[in-house]
Amino acid sequence: MAEIVLEHVVKRYPDGALAVDDFNLDIADGEFIILVGPSGCGKSTTLNMVAGLEDITAGKLIIDGQVVNDKAPKDRDIAMVFQSYALYPHMTVRENMGFPLRLAGMDKQTIRQKVDEAAELLELTQHLDRKPANLSGGQRQRVAMGRAIVRQPKAFLMDEPLSNLDAKLRVQMRTQISRIQKSLGTTTLYVTHDQTEAMTLGDRVVVMRAGVVQQVGTPAHLYAHPSNLFVAGFIGSPSMNFLPGQLKGGGTVVTALGEAQLPDRSRRALDGASGDREVIVGIRPEHFEDASVVGDKPGATFDAPIDIVEAMGSDVYAYFTVKGEGASSAELDELAKDTGNDLHGTGLSITARLDAASGVRRNSTAKLWYDTAKLHLFDASTGKNLLEAN
Amino acid sequence: MQPATTNRKLMWWGINILVLLYAFVPVFWLLSLSLKNAETLNDGNYFPTHPTGASYQAIFQNDDFVRSLINSIGICLISTLVAIVIGTMCAYAIARLQFPGKAAILAMALLVSMFPQIALVTPLFKIETAIGLFDTWPGLIIPYITFALPLAIYTLSAFFREIPWDLEKAAKMDGATPYQAFRQVITPLAMPGVFTTAILVFIACWNDFLFALSLTSTSNARTVPAAMSYFTGATTFEKPTGPIAAAAIVITIPIVLFVLVFQRRIVAGLTSGAVKG
Amino acid sequence: MTATPTPAAAESADLQIEEETTAIARKRHNEAKAAERKLGLLLVSPAVVIMLAVTAYPVLYAIWLSLNKADLRRPNDNHFIWFSNYVTVLSSPIWWTAFGVTALITVVSAAFELALGMILAIIMHRTIVGRGLVRTSALVPYAIVTVVAAFSWRFAWTQDLGWLAPKGSAPLTSFWPSIGIIILAEIWKTIPFMALLLMAGLALVPEDLLKAASMDGASAWKRFWMVTVPLIKPAILVALLFRTLDAFRIFDNIFILTSGSNNTSSVSMVTYSNLIRGLNLGIGSAMSVLIFITTGIIAFAFIKLFGAAAPGADPGGRR
């Protein structure tokens, strides 16, 4: 078990391309850290540098107080779970899991015992003599986990370990990974592009974009206080709605949804910002509500021409389009590209998550309310969250 | 797939039998010739009426044949071994490393594999006579290796590209040194491909006739296919049909065994290098 | 590109860091590259040296010999004679007969092999019973020594001896029957090779595509011609190229079946006769060079006219 410290770590490719820029992170002993971001953001490169599979161009990697930049992977005593699982096809499950121990020169009896223990933990006992080719995807994933667990390394590195599983199994394995990590208390660095995994698994989450750390914090903090447009758009599902707007003096914000008065707390945070300015307003789907259900909580209301209604049982998703151009920024474009959503309809599509008791119907106009206290305001040019003092 | 009806199964069995007949009729014809006795040899029947092992006795008492059998086995085994070692090195580099001239090497290998061997017979004959390799084992082994190399390089590099090299990384993470990773993870994965290629190369060497005919003059290095064409009967008037058939069957046995045991691998090997549309 | 906006003063420092880190990355990269290049060249060198020594040098030597009068029966009369040998060869009816015979055998056998090979490939690919058995037995003709197979056909068609020979006639003593038997032997031996290459192509045709075609109303025959064939065209061309070049070199079968009697010699056979039997190295070498050139033309024609991709022509490019 170990502390892992990354100090000003840089990865630059020989053609000058920057994969990771000035990465700083202190990982505490036993902490579960998630690296998350769209593909190509440098998260896997960072993981590979910690593993020792890629060299570090500049900066320091410190494991347990020792700089390990130039150590071979085998001398770092960390285990890795690969996206492809990387199981040895010519070895049985038992041999796969025992391989690191065999390399470490452990005696057969001990290996047997340790593999049996790990297999028990992962419910693989009855599969120990099978080859990987004869296992299901979930079983293979568990063998890969088992191979990492048996040697009791200082840290686990996991490179999108669940992305090859189907949705249901992924949820199941997610809780299992969480349980195992908590019971072993091993420092874990986990890479994923799935924000749900990031939110549910991590003690702390590191959001990356284009090689640069955007924000580090607990899942709840990232959700409630995203430091910029990118984090706000990346974290949360369905994702935050963005509308271009003007911030007027006196704490009034004007968007396609109409005019809204910001609460005092927000006004105070904006202090110093003077005059009218262009902003991007962010509203999470769950901060909308059917006006008839809300009662008289403070907020703003508007008429929404509902296109589609999806009743999920626990709540209702309502989709509608308002007039006007969508908010545009490089960060939002990148997010759209990552999710494969490159449809540009006319107008601005908005998703609202309403109470199940709501009576909204498709192709009708509904009066919706939104919580002005939960509005996020971003600078239209830099994308920085104006309400979060950095 | 729907459950196959009995009729469809019967139809396919019928077709399969046609394939079996196609493949085996000429082979069994030689077998039955080799088993016929002198009286029934010329009766023109497909099956022998009085089977006898006399032809086999005759050829194994014939020193020239025994010698040529030893030549065939020895020369083909050595050629295969050397071609595989050299070919593996080359194919590994082509599949895994970046270096200049890769395309040129592949083009050269392709050129060699399409080369009309007859065009080499004269110069090789002259050169080998000059340096004393004519009618020796190395005199055949060297051209065999040359013509086996393209086959070996193409097949092996196709196999090597299929190896999940990411496992090398996994092994490193599991604490393996580069040598351990190669020895315990990569080698076991590469062996089936190497072995398959060895079979294909051996079959190719075993099949050669032109070089064996042109680059030998005595039983010193003459292989069975060439020796068969020089077979004469005990007397000048006796036709050596029986012994030739027996010799043909003898050198066919190892091939048929290979095919029976390694069918899957041979199919995989033959198709791997060739079709990458 | 940092998260915090960079003050203008720090920009030059940033630029310097950028240059330094790039230099470090480049240096490490170049060192690794150089080592990899060295290892690569080291590993391929034995194969390259052998292939060059055994083919390139002799080819040059053959070209030289073909420009000389080089007759082993008159060793004192060797001298440089320019293209006389080529003139002799190209004005000789023996050469042109052999060339015609070779071309005939090549075209006819390649055509039959393609058709029959396709049938065998489909059988091996589609059979619902005894797939292993079919594939195993289909490999026998491929693996068997050509000379052995040739003897089997020769005996089969020999008067009195053979089960195929019609009573009182000797088909291997006249031209057309001989050519027919040579082609038969050639086809028998190489159908499996053709079929395996085509089968590998068939395996790449997605089953769903054929299902979609049949939903679109295509009959089995139409599915074959309009879906399967276009998709496996590369496999067909590669197989045809290989087989054409191979058939053009035909030697073993003719040597055993007819020894070239009754004008059934192929170009390889007449070359062999001039070299080994006639000991006329000049003429033989000229023929060798002509065969070499013809082979090149065939390969070039395939690649240019049909766009046949040589296997491995794009090493790893598609992965």
Side-chain angles (χ1 to χ4, degrees):
Chain A
M1 267 160 254
E3 284 174 22
I4 301 175
V5 178
L6 292 102
E7 260 179 32
H8 302 292
V9 169
V10 174
K11 176 69 187 183
R12 195 180 275 282
Y13 286 111
D15 58 2
L18 193 60
V20 175
D21 192 11
D22 198 26
F23 192 107
N24 288 290
L25 186 65
D26 281 24
I27 305 174
D29 188 15
E31 202 174 10
F32 199 141
I33 292 282
I34 310 281
L35 286 180
V36 70
S39 52
C41 73
K43 55 191 194 298
S44 288
T45 310
T46 308
L47 192 77
N48 282 339
M49 284 194 286
V50 176
L53 295 173
E54 284 200 49
D55 64 336
I56 297 168
T57 315
K60 277 188 210 161
L61 171 67
I62 303 163
I63 299 180
D64 267 350
Q66 221 187 343
V67 178
V68 295
N69 282 30
D70 296 323
K71 275 199 178 178
K74 73 183 189 67
D75 300 322
R76 295 187 186 191
D77 192 22
I78 43 190
M80 185 154 168
V81 178
F82 292 83
Q83 182 174 11
S84 63
Y85 314 141
L87 301 182
Y88 308 116
H90 57 297
M91 299 184 192
T92 61
V93 169
R94 176 180 293 284
E95 286 163 342
N96 260 290
M97 287 169 64
F99 188 62
L101 304 180
R102 205 175 89 209
L103 290 172
M106 225 171 253
D107 67 276
K108 284 211 176 104
Q109 194 54 44
T110 327
I111 295 179
R112 217 183 154 71
Q113 190 198 327
K114 285 186 179 245
V115 170
D116 282 336
E117 281 170 20
E120 183 100 8
L121 183 69
L122 292 159
E123 294 162 44
L124 284 169
T125 311
Q126 69 270 42
H127 306 303
L128 278 173
D129 295 319
R130 293 163 79 179
K131 293 265 175 74
N134 303 322
L135 299 178
S136 71
Q139 288 162 346
R140 283 181 211 179
Q141 209 283 330
R142 295 201 314 262
V143 176
M145 291 283 298
R147 198 170 64 190
I149 289 172
V150 278
R151 45 190 281 218
Q152 293 160 317
K154 283 182 183 162
F156 294 139
L157 305 180
M158 303 196 189
D159 189 2
E160 312 215 7
L162 303 181
S163 62
N164 283 337
L165 299 179
D166 63 53
K168 206 167 172 187
L169 209 51
R170 203 179 303 163
V171 175
Q172 213 177 321
M173 275 313 293
R174 205 166 68 200
T175 47
Q176 195 164 3
I177 287 183
S178 179
R179 199 174 301 136
I180 290 169
Q181 199 272 340
K182 288 285 170 297
S183 70
L184 298 176
T186 308
T187 315
T188 302
L189 193 54
Y190 185 109
V191 162
T192 180
H193 65 267
D194 178 356
Q195 65 91 27
T196 320
E197 275 173 32
M199 296 297 283
T200 49
L201 278 173
D203 293 328
R204 277 194 298 158
V205 176
V206 179
V207 182
M208 291 182 76
R209 173 185 169 238
V212 178
V213 173
Q214 304 291 306
Q215 194 175 5
V216 181
T218 62
H221 183 80
L222 294 189
Y223 186 80
H225 308 284
S227 68
N228 61 29
L229 209 47
F230 182 81
V231 177
F234 194 82
I235 300 288
S237 174
S239 51
M240 192 184 276
N241 300 296
F242 294 107
L243 304 111
Q246 283 95 40
L247 180 63
K248 307 264 193 219
T252 311
V253 63
V254 183
T255 65
L257 303 182
E259 226 172 278
Q261 185 67 29
L262 292 174
D264 294 348
R265 193 186 62 82
S266 306
R267 274 212 297 275
R268 243 174 283 126
L270 284 171
D271 225 17
S274 58
D276 294 4
R277 62 191 292 190
E278 296 293 314
V279 291
I280 293 174
V281 178
I283 313 174
R284 291 211 182 270
E286 56 271 39
H287 297 143
F288 286 100
E289 195 48 271
D290 190 331
S292 62
V293 187
V294 177
D296 56 355
K297 277 205 271 180
T301 55
F302 64 100
D303 287 327
I306 307 293
D307 297 328
I308 294 173
V309 173
E310 292 174 355
M312 310 295 282
S314 54
D315 34 39
V316 171
Y317 287 2
Y319 301 89
F320 58 93
T321 308
V322 295
K323 286 204 183 70
E325 284 291 300
S328 76
S329 87
E331 286 158 315
L332 292 180
D333 287 348
E334 196 181 322
L335 282 172
K337 210 163 66 192
D338 190 54
T339 52
N341 176 14
D342 49 4
L343 296 171
H344 290 291
T346 51
L348 180 55
S349 299
I350 303 223
T351 310
R353 195 167 124 193
L354 311 176
D355 193 284
S358 160
V360 293
R361 272 176 305 128
R362 142 174 190 215
N363 293 336
S364 67
T365 304
K367 199 163 196 64
L368 294 188
W369 167 92
Y370 60 98
D371 188 347
T372 46
K374 297 282 174 58
L375 286 185
H376 295 275
L377 293 187
F378 302 94
D379 186 299
S381 53
T382 66
K384 269 174 63 71
N385 191 334
L386 298 170
L387 302 179
E388 301 295 328
N390 266 0
Chain B
M1 272 264 170
Q2 309 144 340
T5 61
T6 321
N7 271 345
R8 278 185 61 205
K9 274 194 182 166
L10 277 179
M11 180 194 84
W12 276 111
W13 274 121
I15 293 172
N16 289 355
I17 287 168
L18 287 181
V19 174
L20 289 183
L21 286 177
Y22 148 76
F24 285 106
V25 161
V27 183
F28 281 128
W29 161 241
L30 276 180
L31 182 64
S32 71
L33 269 186
S34 73
L35 293 173
K36 283 184 176 183
N37 58 12
E39 289 75 41
T40 56
L41 185 63
N42 284 325
D43 62 4
N45 281 334
Y46 186 83
F47 295 104
T49 41
H50 300 89
T52 159
S55 294
Y56 290 93
Q57 265 176 358
I59 56 166
F60 279 106
Q61 278 159 7
N62 178 338
D63 289 341
D64 280 353
F65 173 76
V66 175
R67 177 70 216 211
S68 69
L69 191 58
I70 295 170
N71 289 341
S72 263
I73 295 171
I75 289 172
C76 291
L77 280 181
I78 295 173
S79 307
T80 305
L81 191 73
V82 178
I84 288 296
V85 170
I86 296 175
T88 302
M89 287 160 56
C90 185
Y92 174 86
I94 284 172
R96 283 283 286 160
L97 303 176
Q98 287 300 324
F99 59 93
K102 215 187 219 179
I105 292 167
L106 283 169
M108 181 169 77
L110 195 65
L111 214 63
V112 171
S113 74
M114 295 179 172
F115 205 84
Q117 281 109 330
I118 187 76
L120 285 188
V121 166
T122 321
L124 282 180
F125 174 79
K126 282 279 279 185
I127 296 165
E128 293 202 349
T129 316
I131 58 177
L133 283 180
F134 181 74
D135 202 22
T136 64
W137 277 27
L140 278 186
I141 289 173
I142 292 169
Y144 282 10
I145 292 172
T146 310
F147 283 96
L149 271 176
L151 176 67
I153 291 170
Y154 271 104
T155 316
L156 283 169
S157 52
F159 274 121
F160 286 172
R161 279 188 207 121
E162 298 294 325
I163 293 179
W165 293 94
D166 269 3
L167 292 181
E168 226 174 23
K169 277 192 207 162
K172 275 188 197 167
M173 291 308 300
D174 284 340
T177 61
Y179 174 74
Q180 281 173 320
F182 182 76
R183 180 68 201 80
Q184 301 196 28
V185 175
I186 297 305
T187 308
L189 293 174
M191 275 326 280
V194 172
F195 185 74
T196 303
T197 312
I199 295 174
L200 296 182
V201 166
F202 186 88
I203 290 176
C205 294
W206 196 247
N207 185 45
D208 171 77
F209 179 58
L210 181 58
F211 287 126
L213 199 63
S214 336
L215 299 177
T216 63
S217 59
T218 67
S219 62
N220 195 25
R222 191 175 278 153
T223 60
V224 179
M228 277 165 61
S229 73
Y230 283 101
F231 264 9
T232 49
T235 68
T236 1
F237 302 105
E238 192 188 324
K239 284 183 186 167
T241 308
I244 288 178
I249 290 299
V250 168
I251 61 166
T252 302
I253 288 168
I255 293 297
V256 170
L257 283 181
F258 275 153
V259 167
L260 284 180
V261 180
F262 303 117
Q263 177 260 124
R264 255 168 225 282
R265 293 187 168 194
I266 296 174
V267 171
L270 280 173
T271 52
S272 68
V275 184
K276 285 278 146 64
Chain C
M1 290 256 289
T2 47
T4 48
T6 319
E11 241 167 51
S12 66
D14 265 11
L15 199 67
Q16 197 191 340
I17 288 170
E18 184 177 327
E19 274 167 13
E20 273 171 23
T21 50
T22 308
I24 293 169
R26 202 167 288 157
K27 181 160 162 274
R28 284 191 198 146
H29 176 76
N30 287 345
E31 281 165 5
K33 272 272 145 208
E36 189 177 324
R37 201 175 300 143
K38 208 170 136 193
L39 179 65
L41 292 175
L42 196 73
L43 287 177
V44 296
S45 56
V48 172
V49 167
I50 289 190
M51 286 194 288
L52 280 181
V54 183
T55 56
Y57 173 69
V59 165
L60 295 178
Y61 188 64
I63 293 172
W64 168 249
L65 274 179
S66 73
L67 301 174
N68 279 271
K69 188 176 176 71
D71 191 333
L72 286 186
R73 286 166 305 181
R74 269 168 274 163
N76 298 325
D77 195 21
N78 287 2
H79 58 275
F80 194 77
I81 52 166
W82 286 105
F83 294 99
S84 294
N85 286 325
Y86 290 94
V87 174
T88 314
V89 171
L90 292 175
S91 57
S92 141
I94 298 177
W95 166 260
W96 287 113
T97 309
F99 196 90
V101 165
T102 311
L104 177 73
I105 293 173
T106 303
V107 171
V108 175
S109 59
F112 273 101
E113 282 160 18
L114 182 60
L116 297 171
M118 183 65 91
I119 291 172
L120 181 58
I122 292 171
I123 293 173
M124 290 195 292
H125 187 61
R126 291 273 161 210
T127 185
I128 48 174
V129 286
R131 179 172 291 186
L133 180 73
V134 169
R135 291 190 180 184
T136 306
S137 41
L139 277 178
V140 169
Y142 155 78
I144 214 165
V145 175
T146 312
V147 170
V148 166
F151 268 117
S152 175
W153 293 114
R154 182 174 123 186
F155 293 150
W157 293 99
T158 300
Q159 194 175 10
D160 296 341
L161 175 74
W163 65 287
L164 287 173
K167 273 271 170 273
S169 76
L172 283 168
T173 55
S174 46
F175 179 77
W176 284 111
S178 297
I179 294 292
I181 293 168
I182 290 168
I183 291 175
L184 169 72
E186 190 75 2
I187 292 173
W188 181 81
K189 174 87 172 76
T190 45
I191 284 176
F193 178 75
M194 199 75 156
L196 284 172
L197 294 191
L198 295 176
M199 189 179 75
L202 287 179
L204 297 179
V205 177
E207 203 64 25
D208 277 356
L209 213 56
L210 296 173
K211 282 188 193 151
S214 75
M215 291 307 292
D216 291 340
S219 62
W221 183 248
K222 285 213 166 125
R223 286 201 297 273
F224 177 74
W225 283 107
M226 298 173 75
V227 180
T228 308
V229 168
L231 280 174
I232 64 169
K233 189 178 154 232
I236 293 176
L237 286 174
V238 167
L240 260 187
L241 172 64
F242 269 174
R243 275 307 303 149
T244 310
L245 293 181
D246 204 34
F248 198 77
R249 299 186 284 202
I250 183 170
F251 178 81
D252 303 12
N253 269 325
I254 298 181
F255 189 95
I256 298 298
L257 283 167
T258 68
S259 303
S261 55
N262 307 308
N263 291 327
T264 53
S265 277
S266 67
V267 283
S268 288
M269 273 298 292
V270 291
T271 310
Y272 177 84
S273 306
N274 274 285
L275 289 172
I276 305 294
R277 291 190 186 149
L279 296 177
N280 193 332
L281 302 188
I283 296 285
S285 297
M287 288 176 168
S288 302
V289 173
L290 288 172
I291 295 175
F292 185 58
I293 292 170
T294 315
T295 313
I297 292 172
I298 296 175
F300 186 79
F302 260 96
I303 290 167
K304 279 290 158 206
L305 291 183
F306 305 117
D314 55 339
R318 248 171 258 266
R319 274 155 212 286

